[in-house]
Amino acid sequence: MTLSTGRPARAWGGGATHRFYSVVVFVLLASLDNVAIGLVPPLYGAIADSFAVPQRLLGLVTAVSFLVSAVAAVGWAYFGDRTNRKPLLMIGTLLWAAGTGGSGLAGDYPTFLAAQLLAAVGLGAVGSVGFSVVTDLISPRRRGLVMSFWGLSQGVGTLAGTLVGGLLGATDWRRPFLLLTVVGVAATAAYLFTYDIRRGQSEPELVDALAGGAEYDYRISRADLPVILGRRTNRWLILQGLTAQAAFGSLVWLPVLFAERARDQGYSPSTAIVVGSVFATLFQLGGVLSIVGGLIGDALQRRTPSGRALVAAVGILAAVPFYLVLFFVPIRIEVPDGAGTGAIVRAVLGSVVTEPTVGLSLLTALLALALTSANSPNWFALIADANPPEHRGTVYSLGNLVNGVGRAAGNGLVGVAFHGLRAAFPPPLNYAVGLAAFQLFFIPTGIMYWLAARTSPKDISDVEHLLHTRAEKL
């Protein structure tokens, strides 16, 4: 992980340990906001029963929350590109912690929905403003690697949310929300000890000027928005999120698919929730290999300015067949019905070795998720490469807005698809067919990355020239 630009750390107002601590805090916060996102889906059934509403209304909560968070992120990012970013991050974290706590204390569905929307507003700050800060800490040569940790932390957060929701909330769905509230408050305190990272401090073109005491004081303005959208690479990076996230958004139903398979084999609802959460968590471990995608993107980008986009395009398209296999491979679940959580987890883990179909499903899932995980670090790094420092948070948030629309559509519409398919395909087959259909959205995603590979060389070169010119003025 490269956190310096080759100059003494004190030139930036913080030592190496302080800088490392700051990156760790931002990466962990990126994971925590995804814990909050992943907390609800494993508990759809329990929360729906508690409020006496259909499960699809809980799917609607998740879908609307994605959208609200993405819209809020645009505002957070714009102000973050203009002002001091640390206070914004602290306020956003407190908001999502308050919303999460309110969710755990909600007595009815409308209150739960309102609390989740409050949390979503706060979550919009963590991703967009945090991304802007982290890109100012990382040199371009290592952006893919460090952004893979950033993206991986989000994936790990989603997994942790799925696991904590399913395990800790199996008997009382409110407990995970209250626990996460405490963690969110502690995270806000951790922000106090990070230092204010200077814009542009990791750019090779600006190193000498900033080390000499100059201040990079360029800030975004409304007049810059047409310039941002005028970069063709930005357009492809933003638009690909609509189809990519429609596919990714549908995958939050993985715990439900495996829980329904368990119920179909005769297991009780509480046991099925734990089984679904553990299987979904286990099968998403391939996301850890996003580090490989980031490293390959860094290496290929040093050879050609199209490198990152090409890595993402190949990974996305190659993953589609593996997803289709994953949903239809039959799994025989052998766990002690009604046993404690620990016994069920051990039985599921043991089935990876003792049950061939589980082992095959795990291998298929690892390959599928390893390939699609090349998307995340290279998308983050491309946004940083193709935009000057004062635009990055806003470009990220615009991409995240489209991502939110796509994810909300994927998460919400796949629930409708499950319901519509039920007449022709009884559960759990309706879930498998619906999820498989939504993975086809990865095909246009891969095509848009290929188009970005054709436009990125010019856009990256233009930004480098712009920063050289500004350095001379500084």
Side-chain angles (χ1 to χ4, degrees):
M1 184 180 293
T2 302
L3 302 182
S4 67
T5 56
R7 297 283 174 177
R10 60 181 175 273
W12 307 127
T17 301
H18 197 189
R19 295 163 66 81
F20 181 78
Y21 167 81
S22 299
V23 171
V24 169
V25 169
F26 289 120
V27 170
L28 287 178
L29 261 295
S31 71
L32 281 179
D33 70 349
N34 282 267
V35 172
I37 292 171
L39 209 58
V40 181
L43 302 172
Y44 279 167
I47 299 173
D49 291 343
S50 176
F51 295 148
V53 297
Q55 275 199 46
R56 61 179 178 274
L57 288 185
L58 273 300
L60 179 65
V61 171
T62 303
V64 174
S65 295
F66 283 147
L67 186 58
V68 169
S69 178
V71 172
V74 177
W76 287 110
Y78 183 78
F79 284 106
D81 282 340
R82 292 179 59 85
T83 60
N84 188 346
R85 295 171 289 192
K86 183 188 289 189
L88 293 180
L89 285 168
M90 295 179 69
I91 293 169
T93 303
L94 284 174
L95 282 176
W96 77 248
T100 301
S103 300
L105 298 173
D108 52 38
Y109 177 78
T111 305
F112 181 82
L113 173 61
Q116 283 286 290
L117 296 184
L118 175 63
V121 172
L123 289 172
V126 178
S128 59
V129 181
F131 170 81
S132 173
V133 172
V134 171
T135 58
D136 282 332
L137 271 171
I138 310 304
S139 69
R141 288 176 59 84
R142 291 291 180 266
R143 275 188 184 137
L145 174 60
V146 178
M147 287 297 103
S148 71
F149 285 105
W150 175 266
L152 178 60
S153 73
Q154 297 179 350
V156 170
T158 302
L159 289 179
T162 300
L163 194 60
V164 169
L167 300 185
L168 191 60
T171 56
D172 180 2
W173 67 264
R174 299 178 187 274
R175 286 191 297 178
F177 292 93
L178 300 178
L179 173 63
L180 188 58
T181 300
V182 175
V183 176
V185 173
T188 306
Y191 274 135
L192 293 172
F193 301 99
T194 62
Y195 79 103
D196 292 325
I197 298 156
R198 300 171 69 190
R199 281 184 178 83
Q201 69 179 49
S202 67
E203 303 302 322
E205 298 84 0
L206 301 174
V207 167
D208 290 333
L210 297 182
E215 181 70 28
Y216 185 84
D217 57 0
Y218 292 90
R219 298 293 183 267
I220 194 171
S221 67
R222 293 180 183 177
D224 291 340
L225 296 180
V227 176
I228 287 173
L229 296 177
R231 294 190 191 103
R232 290 182 297 169
T233 304
N234 283 345
R235 294 203 295 267
W236 294 126
L237 292 177
I238 291 171
L239 288 175
Q240 63 80 33
L242 191 63
T243 52
Q245 295 301 323
F248 283 126
S250 69
L251 292 176
V252 301
W253 286 82
L254 266 180
V256 180
L257 169 64
F258 295 114
E260 286 296 325
R261 285 182 171 178
R263 294 182 69 169
D264 186 57
Q265 293 184 27
Y267 289 100
S268 63
S270 60
T271 298
I273 289 176
V274 176
V275 169
S277 297
V278 175
F279 267 119
T281 302
L282 192 63
F283 289 170
Q284 292 186 62
L285 291 178
V288 174
L289 296 177
S290 64
I291 297 171
V292 177
L295 285 170
I296 294 174
D298 280 342
L300 197 57
Q301 189 71 16
R302 288 194 286 269
R303 293 176 175 270
T304 169
S306 301
R308 300 194 198 281
L310 289 174
V311 170
V314 171
I316 287 287
L317 292 174
V320 174
F322 293 102
Y323 276 116
L324 300 183
V325 172
L326 169 64
F327 301 136
F328 292 104
V329 170
I331 296 178
R332 181 170 180 79
I333 300 169
E334 293 286 352
V335 299
D337 193 18
T341 299
I344 296 174
V345 171
R346 288 192 295 272
V348 171
L349 295 177
S351 68
V352 174
V353 178
T354 60
E355 177 56 51
T357 58
V358 175
L360 175 61
S361 293
L362 177 60
L363 177 61
T364 303
L366 290 176
L367 290 172
L369 288 157
L371 289 166
T372 51
S373 67
N375 166 44
S376 175
N378 290 294
W379 184 73
F380 291 134
L382 269 171
I383 289 176
D385 290 345
N387 293 279
E390 72 275 14
H391 289 177
R392 290 171 186 164
T394 300
V395 175
Y396 170 88
S397 70
L398 290 172
N400 197 49
L401 174 59
V402 175
N403 287 353
V405 173
R407 186 178 293 186
N411 182 263
L413 293 178
V414 76
V416 176
F418 295 149
H419 184 72
L421 290 167
R422 184 181 292 266
F425 304 99
L429 187 56
N430 64 320
Y431 291 97
V433 172
L435 285 171
F438 270 75
Q439 304 323 297
L440 298 179
F441 282 111
F442 279 135
I443 295 175
T445 302
I447 293 172
M448 282 186 270
Y449 268 117
W450 177 76
L451 293 170
R454 302 183 64 181
T455 62
S456 57
K458 180 180 183 303
D459 288 335
I460 292 172
S461 176
D462 288 347
V463 169
E464 290 173 348
H465 177 72
L466 174 67
L467 294 179
H468 272 298
T469 302
R470 289 177 173 178
E472 291 174 359
K473 292 180 180 180
L474 291 174

